């Protein structure tokens, strides 16, 4: 996994944490001249094969930025968030499905925006893990669609 990230064309992908209570750190302050290696990011598993690592900001109040790692072949359940998010694919073939049901393949360097309150889905086509940089403008909510 670490080697795959080193081969990615960008430096830092999409789903908010399912269980906020499972998060060990609620916020990370990013002062000027702050840097952290990928292997120093603490990831939590929000769904089978879907992992979240907080980079800066506050999970509970937002805004915040995180790295999402979706294992090759893994899929998050259809869901929505109370906040908008902007995401850039770093590695892999991330498949993002908007409310219209159309699957959009988001490849490294490509961008996707997900408006708040819209049901959507995320999966990684694999075999390579998908790495996505996600910026959310509000709290970290994840509501599974009925």
């Amino acid at each position: 996994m670490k080697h795959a990230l080193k081969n990615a064309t960008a430096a830092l992908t999409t789903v908010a944490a399912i269980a906020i209570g499972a998060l060990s750190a609620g916020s990370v302050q990013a002062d000027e001249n702050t840097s952290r290696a990928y292997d120093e990011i603490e990831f939590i598993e929000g769904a089978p094969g879907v992992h979240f690592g907080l980079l800066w900001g506050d999970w509970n109040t937002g805004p915040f930025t995180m790295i999402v790692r979706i294992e090759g072949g893994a899929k998050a359940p259809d869901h929505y968030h109370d906040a908008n998010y902007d995401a850039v694919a770093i590695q892999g073939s991330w498949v993002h499905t908007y409310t219209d049901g159309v699957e959009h393949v988001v490849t490294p360097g490509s961008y996707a925006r997900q408006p708040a309150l819209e049901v959507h889905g995320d999966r990684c086509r694999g075999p390579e893990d998908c790495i996505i940089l996600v910026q959310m403008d509000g709290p970290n909510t994840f509501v599974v669609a009925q």
Side-chain angles (χ1 to χ4, degrees), residues 52-68:
F52 310 97
L54 182 64
L55 295 178
W56 57 84
D58 190 311
W59 295 108
N60 301 310
T61 63
F64 67 93
T65 302
M66 66 179 163
I67 293 257
V68 177

Side-chain angles (χ1 to χ4, degrees), residues 14-35:
T14 279
V15 181
I18 290 175
I20 292 175
L23 301 172
S24 61
S27 66
V28 174
Q29 295 302 317
D31 297 330
E32 284 188 46
N33 300 322
T34 299
S35 64

Side-chain angles (χ1 to χ4, degrees), residues 21-96:
L23 301 172
S24 61
S27 66
V28 174
Q29 295 302 317
D31 297 330
E32 284 188 46
N33 300 322
T34 299
S35 64
R36 223 169 2 149
Y38 181 79
D39 61 0
E40 295 173 335
I41 298 169
E42 182 179 342
F43 283 89
I44 58 107
E45 187 171 52
V50 182
H51 311 271
F52 310 97
L54 182 64
L55 295 178
W56 57 84
D58 190 311
W59 295 108
N60 301 310
T61 63
F64 67 93
T65 302
M66 66 179 163
I67 293 257
V68 177
R69 183 179 73 231
I70 306 173
E71 295 173 15
K75 180 184 185 314
D78 288 347
H79 61 280
Y80 66 88
H81 311 280
D82 292 326
N84 300 304
Y85 77 68
D86 296 283
V88 176
I90 303 303
Q91 172 183 294
S93 288
W94 165 38
V95 180
H96 185 75

Side-chain angles (χ1 to χ4, degrees), residues 91-95 105-108 123-126 128-130:
Q91 172 183 294
S93 288
W94 165 38
V95 180
V105 178
V106 187
T107 56
R123 68 182 176 87
C124 184
R125 269 200 318 203
E128 179 179 50
D129 289 353
C130 293

Side-chain angles (χ1 to χ4, degrees), residues 1 7 9 16 20 28 43 45 59 63 69 72 77 103 107 117 122-123 131 133 136 146:
M1 175 62 228
N7 293 331
T9 59
I20 292 175
V28 174
F43 283 89
E45 187 171 52
W59 295 108
R69 183 179 73 231
E103 290 188 341
T107 56
L117 306 176
D122 298 292
R123 68 182 176 87
I131 306 291
L133 176 67
M136 292 190 81
Q146 306 264 333

